[in-house]
Amino acid sequence: MAVIVPRGVCRCGQRQCRCPLMTTPPYQPGYPQGVSDKSKVIAGVLQILLGGFGVGRFYMGDTKTGVIQLIVTLVTCGLGSLWGLIDGILILVNGGVDGQGRPLRD
């Protein structure tokens, strides 16, 4: 489904164009534009506590990495959970991005 959007909203810069309908609005009320609605602190703590199961990554919307962390933990009989612990610390220190590539909010 496509909609006609006014100039300035569309990336192509034309007066009117037909753009695909976006699944998420370009502006989320209550949060600055371009910033995720997911919290860096919650993602980091979930990843530290349950990172072996990829819970922090699932919370962030990064299901691919979450599934990989879960498989690595199961295959290595739990040793792969160190990856989740380190990943959670890095999320808390450096931040991260959600599944759509937006930086996590503080």
Side-chain angles (χ1 to χ4, degrees):
M1 179 175 185
V3 294
I4 297 176
V5 294
R7 185 178 188 175
V9 176
C10 185
R11 289 185 220 155
C12 65
Q14 296 178 0
R15 184 171 300 264
Q16 287 186 340
C17 68
R18 299 187 73 76
C19 295
L21 189 60
M22 295 174 56
T23 57
T24 56
Y27 175 72
Q28 298 172 347
Y31 300 105
Q33 189 171 3
V35 176
S36 176
D37 57 343
K38 306 295 184 190
S39 170
K40 173 174 77 169
V41 174
I42 293 174
V45 170
L46 282 173
Q47 195 63 9
I48 288 172
L49 297 176
L50 300 168
F53 302 111
V55 174
R57 289 294 180 166
F58 287 122
Y59 169 76
M60 293 167 46
D62 188 7
T63 53
K64 180 180 175 183
T65 306
V67 168
I68 292 171
Q69 286 180 336
L70 177 61
I71 291 171
V72 167
T73 300
L74 292 175
V75 169
T76 61
C77 298
L79 289 176
S81 62
L82 289 175
W83 176 16
L85 175 70
I86 294 168
D87 193 27
I89 293 169
L90 289 175
I91 290 171
L92 287 174
V93 172
N94 297 333
V97 293
D98 65 2
Q100 297 174 337
R102 300 174 298 179
L104 298 172
R105 66 180 167 88
D106 290 329

